[in-house]
Amino acid sequence: MGVCVSKAARLVVLVSGSGTNLQALLDASADPSYGARVVAVGADRDGIEGLARASRAGIPTFVRKLGDYPSRAGWDAALASEIASHKPDLVISAGFMKIVGAPTLEEFPLLNTHPALLPAFPGAHGVRDALAHGVKVTGCTVMLADAGVDTGPIVAQEAVPVLPGDDVATLHERIKTVERRLLVDVVGRMAREGWTVSGRTVRIGNPSGGEST
Ligand code: GAR
């Protein structure tokens, strides 16, 4: 699969919480040379700072709550149709704490960011689980989502040390400082240069035009 994006790539960003990764993307895309812009922000719940950040930036928002639908399939279809209405080149799960289903995955590339070095510590509690395991190094992973939980092809990773006395909050903050920079870097390069996926290998850059990774 090869994807090449020209003009500013259209990003739909999905959030469930504080939205600091979203904010990093909003800040980066203020520079036209970044090559991507956030065209909509979606959430699975109301009243979160991620939605407030989008509103302050003048970006349209939508909320699709799982509990408002009789079935998971209904929610998946509604989420996919709302995402499609914004015509994204790339969808980004930036702390969206729901598994995004087939209707979206079959239509759009979905980039996901996770606060651990996959395949270690997948799921909703990557920081807690790494700390509980006693690892000395953890980090963050940016991956293309597939149907599994944090199992998709890895685009980029960066290590972060676990320090004596860390709790989940201090360790997560240290990871997020790195994660925001990594996500902004990866999204910008994917938007400007396109990408290819071959099996589990993701390469950013046009193979005929010289690769950058
Ligand atoms: C990020 O650390 C992200 O990796 C994590 O939620 C945080 C969101 O922070 N996502 C997951 O744990 C998904 N499994 P933010 O709302 O401040 O961007």
Side-chain angles (χ1 to χ4, degrees):
M1 178 173 86
V3 183
C4 197
V5 179
S6 58
K7 297 201 295 188
R10 298 173 61 84
L11 310 177
V12 169
V13 182
L14 304 176
V15 296
S16 295
S18 62
T20 65
N21 281 282
L22 163 67
Q23 188 67 55
L25 291 167
L26 291 170
D27 293 347
S29 59
D31 179 350
S33 69
Y34 182 61
R37 65 193 174 96
V38 180
V39 296
V41 172
D44 61 336
R45 62 199 76 185
D46 294 312
I48 55 171
E49 181 61 13
L51 289 171
R53 289 176 192 276
S55 297
R56 287 197 293 272
I59 308 289
T61 63
F62 59 89
V63 176
R64 292 291 176 276
K65 298 182 199 169
L66 184 54
D68 289 346
Y69 295 85
S71 68
R72 182 92 189 191
W75 177 78
D76 273 330
L79 183 69
S81 126
E82 179 67 41
I83 289 171
S85 74
H86 299 285
K87 300 187 176 9
D89 296 300
L90 184 61
V91 181
I92 301 173
S93 173
F96 188 62
M97 301 308 277
K98 292 274 185 305
I99 303 299
V100 174
T104 296
L105 296 181
E106 284 165 6
E107 205 73 30
F108 305 104
L110 174 72
L111 197 68
N112 188 11
T113 180
H114 182 72
L117 290 176
L118 294 170
F121 312 117
H125 302 288
V127 181
R128 182 196 72 186
D129 295 347
L131 201 56
H133 197 83
V135 297
K136 303 301 183 199
V137 176
T138 183
C140 49
T141 302
V142 177
M143 89 220 79
L144 284 166
D146 64 9
V149 178
D150 298 328
T151 52
I154 290 169
V155 184
Q157 292 185 298
E158 205 164 313
V160 173
V162 180
L163 299 182
D166 262 344
D167 58 21
V168 172
T170 60
L171 179 56
H172 201 173
E173 269 318 305
R174 190 175 311 114
I175 293 168
K176 282 171 69 169
T177 302
V178 174
E179 183 180 22
R180 288 188 283 265
R181 173 173 49 69
L182 189 68
L183 182 66
V184 164
D185 173 66
V186 165
V187 169
R189 289 194 295 121
M190 289 173 77
R192 293 187 301 273
E193 302 171 35
W195 69 95
T196 57
V197 184
S198 171
R200 292 201 54 83
T201 302
V202 182
R203 284 201 180 81
I204 298 176
N206 178 353
S208 58
E211 288 174 9
S212 73
T213 50

